[in-house]
Amino acid sequence: MARTEALPRVERGSVEVLRLYDVAYAIDLARVEEIGAMQSPTTVARIRLTRAKPKAIAFGTPPVEIALGPVRLPFADGERVAQASARIYDFGVVSIALRIAANGLSWEDYAARVRAAGEVAGTEAGSAVWTELVARVRNFIAPAIERPTPPGLEEDYILAVVNALEPALTAEELLERVDIAALLSGESQPLSASARRDLLRYSFSYFRNDLAVVTWDSAFLLEPGGDTDVADVLEVANAQLLELRYYDELLDSELPRMYDRVAQAHRALRGLSLRRYARLARDLHTLVADITEVTEKVDNALKVTEDVYLARIYAAALELFRVRAWSGDIDRKLGIIRDTYQTLYDEAATARAEILEATIVLLIVLEIVLAWVV
């Protein structure tokens, strides 16, 4: 159990609230950069990891970051200014971040600000801020969007970031002095030992004075160097989760329609009309190709090779968010569609062969009849 005496002071830190949206099938990031260059040379920039070596861990296609400027959030003790930004991923996800400064606070006040930031983001006033920001981003990148999707699925995540403590503490000392589990859970009541173990299960340190504790919907980061690589990796994992959830739901809605269309195609086949059969097979093939293309982009969003620390955090996030499980579900459903497509193709080919055989027989019979008549 963390001790409550001698709590440190957060001299420099922040709370970052992320909300991720699926907005399109794909986004042309080069076009987004062109749009940004025309409107403001400093508005848009590609992001890159700063701590890791380029060959150790890198984005498959680095997202583009757009500065959205300050916004006001209605906290219980008055309005606070948050710096808003958006990151655009080529596989159709937009991640909007609200970054709230937390400097010169006691640990209790810092924990209260983390809780308040999460609560405010979910209020009606907070929702209006998100709605206005995502609308701005959609309008800004509209020329770069391919096949926009309607508003729907979202993911939220909170990052509690500390860059400087007074006194300066190692990761072990910080875990002994403060209750990180309570901070991440947002609970004011003491947690059970089992709940604390679960929340602190994914805790990582590379140097003695850095720490990352990752949970399902939030993370605590002690980063004295001010690096954002861990936060960037966690955002990518959330973007992957969102996109896989979107396509899993899409396939859930497509499969019943596919079964209905297959039944209709079978009836059409009995009527010797192959056009509907061919159209259905073509549609299924296109659906599989489109989803396979996007999921490959999602799987390759971040490439990890040599940076052990970031690789462990990334793997933990994928496990926590069940990204592999979502990907497996999509592969299984795509397999059903592929098998259906192959069956349709085989049945259509068989039907064509039968029609051809019948035509040949009819021609032979006609030739015999004409020979008798003549």
Side-chain angles (χ1 to χ4, degrees):
M1 181 69 180
R3 300 197 304 265
T4 57
E5 71 272 19
L7 293 178
R9 181 177 178 84
V10 178
E11 292 298 328
R12 191 171 74 256
S14 62
V15 184
E16 188 169 333
V17 185
L18 303 178
R19 182 162 293 182
L20 298 92
Y21 303 84
D22 180 273
V23 301
Y25 168 74
I27 303 173
D28 184 346
L29 299 187
R31 182 74 180 105
V32 174
E33 288 178 307
E34 291 174 4
I35 297 168
M38 289 186 293
Q39 297 193 18
S40 171
T42 60
T43 299
V44 172
R46 293 273 181 155
I47 71 167
R48 63 183 182 87
L49 300 173
T50 57
R51 172 177 181 157
K53 297 179 181 179
K55 292 184 178 179
I57 182 168
F59 292 103
T61 301
V64 171
E65 185 170 63
I66 303 173
L68 299 176
V71 297
R72 295 188 175 277
L73 293 176
F75 279 65
D77 57 350
E79 284 190 336
R80 296 196 181 279
V81 175
Q83 292 298 321
S85 62
R87 286 183 178 172
I88 318 299
Y89 291 83
D90 67 332
F91 48 81
V93 168
V94 168
S95 173
I96 295 179
L98 298 181
R99 191 172 292 104
I100 304 155
N103 302 322
L105 300 178
S106 68
W107 184 263
E108 295 94 331
D109 289 342
Y110 176 73
R113 184 160 301 183
V114 173
R115 287 194 299 270
E119 292 169 357
V120 167
T123 63
E124 184 176 346
S127 296
V129 172
W130 292 113
T131 301
E132 190 270 335
L133 289 174
V134 74
R136 281 173 56 190
V137 174
R138 278 181 177 268
N139 291 335
F140 182 84
I141 66 173
I145 286 180
E146 178 184 347
R147 287 153 53 182
T149 56
L153 209 57
E154 302 171 2
E155 279 292 338
D156 293 323
Y157 205 75
I158 296 178
L159 297 169
V161 182
V162 172
N163 300 121
L165 289 169
E166 179 58 43
L169 300 174
T170 66
E172 292 181 358
E173 290 170 338
L174 181 63
L175 288 171
E176 288 177 356
R177 293 198 185 188
V178 304
D179 194 346
I180 300 293
L183 174 75
L184 293 174
S185 69
E187 298 292 345
S188 56
Q189 297 295 319
L191 298 175
S192 68
S194 61
R196 293 186 70 258
R197 281 195 302 270
D198 288 342
L199 286 165
L200 299 178
R201 177 183 174 190
Y202 295 99
S203 299
F204 306 93
S205 288
Y206 187 73
F207 299 110
R208 294 184 68 240
N209 62 343
D210 65 18
L211 175 66
V213 183
V214 184
T215 71
W216 167 258
D217 56 1
S218 60
F220 172 80
L221 306 178
L222 175 61
E223 288 285 359
D227 297 326
T228 62
D229 287 5
V230 174
D232 294 340
V233 165
L234 293 175
E235 182 185 277
V236 172
N238 272 283
Q240 291 173 297
L241 168 63
L242 174 68
E243 196 67 355
L244 293 175
R245 283 184 58 205
Y246 173 81
Y247 281 101
D248 184 71
E249 290 190 5
L250 176 65
L251 288 172
D252 281 342
S253 63
E254 284 293 332
L255 285 174
R257 284 199 289 267
M258 180 191 73
Y259 296 141
D260 292 339
R261 292 184 66 188
V262 168
Q264 294 173 2
H266 277 132
R267 290 193 292 271
L269 185 63
R270 286 194 292 270
L272 301 182
S273 173
L274 296 177
R275 184 176 301 172
R276 185 179 299 175
Y277 225 59
R279 184 168 57 248
L280 173 56
R282 185 170 59 250
D283 290 347
L284 293 179
H285 183 268
T286 300
L287 176 64
V288 170
D290 286 349
I291 295 180
T292 301
E293 179 184 8
V294 174
T295 53
E296 285 179 355
K297 286 183 180 179
V298 172
D299 290 339
N300 295 322
L302 196 65
K303 298 176 181 178
V304 182
T305 54
E306 300 173 9
D307 193 300
V308 177
Y309 179 60
L310 290 179
R312 290 173 62 203
I313 293 174
Y314 183 52
L318 295 181
E319 180 181 343
L320 264 170
F321 303 159
R322 299 183 66 249
V323 168
R324 303 302 184 202
W326 287 105
S327 183
D329 286 345
I330 289 174
D331 287 342
R332 178 178 56 80
K333 292 166 187 175
L334 287 177
I336 294 173
I337 295 177
R338 288 191 190 98
D339 292 343
T340 303
Y341 164 76
Q342 188 61 48
T343 300
L344 288 172
Y345 179 84
D346 293 342
E347 290 184 5
T350 300
R352 289 190 185 95
E354 290 174 351
I355 292 173
L356 181 59
E357 290 174 2
T359 302
I360 293 172
V361 170
L362 287 173
L363 289 174
I364 293 173
V365 171
L366 180 59
E367 187 176 341
I368 294 173
V369 170
L370 290 175
W372 276 100
V373 170
V374 174

